[in-house]
Amino acid sequence: MSSKVLGFTLVLTLGFFLTRIHSLRFELQSGHTKCIAEDMKSNAMTVGKYHVVNANEGYPLPDTHKITVRVTSSYGNTYHQADNVGEGQFAFQTAEAGDYMACFFAQDHKSPATLSVDFDWKTGIAARDWTNVAKKGSVEAMEIELKRMYETVQSIHDEMFYLREREEEMQELNRSTVTKMNLLSFVSLVVCLSVAGFQVWHLKTFFEKKKLI
């Protein structure tokens, strides 16, 4: 295997690890909420689709099977909200790094119901619509593949810096924790020595008053 082919394979492999896809079906009971979280860096593209599975195909989805969907960041900013819907989708570019949460809520009804929800959430390179890119740009397949590779390398580069920043934050937290623990240990030692000294002084004073020493 040549070095070019090996490098191409390595880039694609890393690209698959750096892109995250959540495609799942889950059950949601009336009056309950289910949330799904995804850790994303800033300036990352993300798209999502969801719909409530209609058990009676060919018939309208009943109101008891409508849901409320809200996508928020760890800072409380809302990026998508839909009320009383049977399906929907969202797409946005993250403004800050952190955990993004998609929450699904089913309204409570007198007759409890269990809903099945299909949810497809893509982030990173997987969120790019490469088919539309090819159609709009009228480019050849090789050019599309090169652009995909460039996006993958750029994503790897950004991910490395993001992980480095997280590592520095963790190191700073560890240093701060060690400093606080050392200070607490010193204060505890001073308190223990002070209490021991006070007890010795108290006992000495007591024995002197009793003329035992």
Side-chain angles (χ1 to χ4, degrees), residues 103-154:
C103 292
F104 301 82
F105 170 72
Q107 294 183 357
D108 197 5
H109 296 277
K110 292 183 179 179
S111 299
T114 300
L115 289 64
S116 294
V117 181
D118 279 342
F119 182 39
D120 185 19
W121 196 0
K122 300 178 182 179
T123 63
I125 303 299
R128 300 280 186 178
D129 191 348
W130 295 102
T131 303
N132 289 336
V133 171
K135 290 180 180 179
K136 293 178 182 179
S138 299
V139 293
E140 298 296 332
M142 183 60 70
E143 293 175 321
I144 288 295
E145 192 63 33
L146 290 175
K147 184 173 179 63
R148 190 199 302 269
M149 290 177 60
Y150 174 78
E151 292 284 349
T152 302
V153 172
Q154 187 66 36

Side-chain angles (χ1 to χ4, degrees), residues 66-133:
K66 297 295 181 66
I67 59 176
T68 295
V69 183
R70 187 181 181 191
V71 181
T72 58
S73 68
S74 56
Y75 295 92
N77 298 321
T78 301
Y79 286 83
H80 172 76
Q81 180 161 352
D83 299 323
N84 198 32
V85 296
E87 62 180 0
Q89 59 184 1
F90 58 85
F92 59 88
Q93 189 168 2
T94 59
E96 60 262 348
D99 288 333
Y100 285 75
M101 189 170 295
C103 292
F104 301 82
F105 170 72
Q107 294 183 357
D108 197 5
H109 296 277
K110 292 183 179 179
S111 299
T114 300
L115 289 64
S116 294
V117 181
D118 279 342
F119 182 39
D120 185 19
W121 196 0
K122 300 178 182 179
T123 63
I125 303 299
R128 300 280 186 178
D129 191 348
W130 295 102
T131 303
N132 289 336
V133 171

